[in-house]
Amino acid sequence: MRMWSTLRKFDTSFKDSQLTTNSGCGLPSLSNATIRPLRNLVRRPKNNYAHHNEIYETLAPELKIFLASNLLESLPAEIVNLEHLKVLSVRNNKLTSLPQSMSRLRNIVELNVATNKLRYLPWEIVRLVQQTHHPINLHLHPNPFLQAMRPGTGLWDFSTTYSATCWEDVVVTIHKCIKAMLDEEDPDSPLLSRWVETIAKARFDRCQAFREKVPFLPINSRPRIAHAPVYLASSLVTFFGLDGSPLRSPQLAPSLLPADHKVLPIAEQPIRSRERFGQASTMSAAPSLFELCLRKATEFPIFSSLENYLPMDVPDAVERGLQTAQGVLEGGGIHCSVCEKSYIITRAEWIEYWHLPQDSDRFSTDELALPFLRRACSTACAHCVFTERDAPVNNDSTVDA
Ligand SMILES: [Zn+2]
């Protein structure tokens, strides 16, 4: 099998539905072709009873991948098609991004991406946590994540939300804690205290809803409650033109920020929807003609060598568009985080800061919020999100049709 010829020299084994490399064996990359066969693995028949159909068991439901301490800079997009993947551990590699369509991994129970070079996570992880009905053990720290504020210290304890009978009790406790931990002179304090309060409120509401369902629960007990992700704030939105080049903006698109850029602040101003998006042309969710041409081009059997057939004077935008389409195709496709349709040219992107619940009630300041990259296929899709939340939109961006 090709997988083995690729991986054998890296001390890799596949046993009991686990793909494992020994730590530090230096695996530099993993291709889609290597991962693809894992979708269809079956257990070989015992005692060579090959004629007995029932002896062939699928290995897929127990699939686990352990690739810790290697040199991986990216994961093959094919990994999100392993529908029955339970565990994915890529701790201590050199990953700078994760595949976008992580929300397809509906059966995952453990995801370990700690100690990589991730600056943000795909927003689809939030969707995955929202949609799965089982807890997911997430190991996301440490990574050099973009922060909405300067790094802070301190440990926030949300355990009082379990025993409190009214929100006012929680507020008193939380504010005592905020007063003890935050310096009022610090410009980040108002934002941090707002986030702590938002998270406490979401946890308290969840606990109350649980107690209503289970009314005879002792008041001091700590039931195992599946807390939901909590939205905290957004960065400015960066818009892109028809050919995918960023439009005028006071800040670079999150995915184009240089590696030493550590803080990406949130935008406070509310959306002025009618002023900025009022014209029907700017609000259209319809794909551009250029976008439709690129989608069609990717269907050609000769698409990967299409560049060789282009005239010498082909416009730069067309060449860039074809390169983008090639990248999207190799990455397994890209879907709008709002309407979920597949597309080629991203028209808007921004960072959303979310609090992702874990088993613990105690979070360090840096763990309170994680940055998630959201991408949209049209200005209308981006607008749809911000209208719902009355959230900020980049005031200086020039939005075209
Ligand atoms: Zn969309």
Side-chain angles (χ1 to χ4, degrees), residues 96-111:
T96 54
S97 64
L98 297 178
Q100 189 221 9
S101 303
M102 298 289 280
S103 52
R104 282 193 232 157
L105 297 173
R106 297 282 169 84
N107 290 297
I108 201 159
V109 294
E110 183 169 346
L111 173 67

Side-chain angles (χ1 to χ4, degrees), residues 336 338-340 376-378 381:
C336 175
V338 184
C339 69
E340 298 187 44
C377 70
S378 67
C381 276

Side-chain angles (χ1 to χ4, degrees), residues 134-147:
H134 57 264
I136 303 176
N137 201 357
L138 295 167
H139 304 274
L140 307 172
H141 293 276
N143 267 298
F145 288 126
L146 287 167
Q147 304 280 341

Side-chain angles (χ1 to χ4, degrees), residues 323-387:
Q323 283 166 3
T324 305
Q326 183 71 40
V328 167
L329 207 61
E330 285 168 5
I334 183 168
H335 292 81
C336 175
S337 73
V338 184
C339 69
E340 298 187 44
K341 289 179 185 157
S342 67
Y343 69 93
I344 305 276
I345 303 277
T346 297
R347 300 299 304 279
E349 74 170 38
W350 65 98
I351 290 287
E352 287 186 0
Y353 292 100
W354 285 73
H355 173 74
L356 276 202
Q358 293 172 46
D359 211 23
S360 172
D361 295 323
R362 289 153 72 90
F363 297 87
S364 72
T365 299
D366 293 342
E367 286 172 335
L368 284 181
L370 280 165
F372 292 90
L373 182 71
R374 262 194 108 156
R375 289 183 163 134
C377 70
S378 67
T379 50
C381 276
H383 180 266
C384 172
V385 173
F386 290 109
T387 310

Side-chain angles (χ1 to χ4, degrees), residues 98 195 275:
L98 297 178
W195 282 8
E275 289 168 32

Side-chain angles (χ1 to χ4, degrees), residues 21-204:
T21 61
N22 282 358
S23 279
C25 75
L27 183 70
S29 64
L30 206 54
S31 71
N32 283 322
T34 305
I35 289 295
R36 201 167 292 126
L38 296 177
R39 291 167 67 178
N40 303 312
L41 281 178
V42 291
R43 195 184 300 278
R44 292 173 69 177
K46 291 170 190 165
N47 305 323
N48 295 325
Y49 290 151
H51 60 281
H52 196 313
N53 284 340
E54 287 182 1
I55 291 173
Y56 284 98
E57 300 171 59
T58 176
L59 286 175
E62 292 300 324
L63 198 55
K64 298 173 184 173
I65 296 181
F66 297 93
L67 298 167
S69 302
N70 282 289
L71 303 170
L72 300 173
E73 292 180 10
S74 62
L75 290 176
E78 191 68 37
I79 223 157
V80 300
N81 292 327
L82 300 175
E83 193 190 338
H84 295 289
L85 186 64
K86 289 265 186 189
V87 177
L88 175 61
S89 176
V90 283
R91 177 179 52 81
N92 197 19
N93 275 274
K94 296 181 183 301
L95 299 176
T96 54
S97 64
L98 297 178
Q100 189 221 9
S101 303
M102 298 289 280
S103 52
R104 282 193 232 157
L105 297 173
R106 297 282 169 84
N107 290 297
I108 201 159
V109 294
E110 183 169 346
L111 173 67
N112 190 337
V113 295
T115 324
N116 276 283
K117 295 186 174 178
L118 298 170
R119 313 204 49 222
Y120 47 76
L121 298 161
W123 182 81
E124 285 67 20
I125 288 183
V126 175
R127 178 175 280 156
L128 177 70
V129 176
Q130 285 172 331
Q131 291 181 346
T132 48
H133 298 292
H134 57 264
I136 303 176
N137 201 357
L138 295 167
H139 304 274
L140 307 172
H141 293 276
N143 267 298
F145 288 126
L146 287 167
Q147 304 280 341
M149 59 191 92
R150 287 167 296 120
T153 53
L155 206 58
W156 299 91
D157 188 346
F158 293 98
S159 56
T160 53
T161 54
Y162 291 98
S163 54
T165 50
C166 64
W167 171 235
E168 285 67 28
D169 290 350
V170 183
V171 170
V172 170
T173 316
I174 286 289
H175 278 258
K176 267 188 203 161
C177 193
I178 288 173
K179 209 168 173 190
M181 286 177 60
L182 293 182
D183 175 3
E184 282 180 19
E185 302 291 313
D186 186 336
D188 289 333
S189 285
L191 178 63
L192 193 49
S193 57
R194 200 163 73 225
W195 282 8
V196 169
E197 205 171 306
T198 304
I199 295 164
K201 181 79 173 86
R203 291 176 80 92
F204 173 75

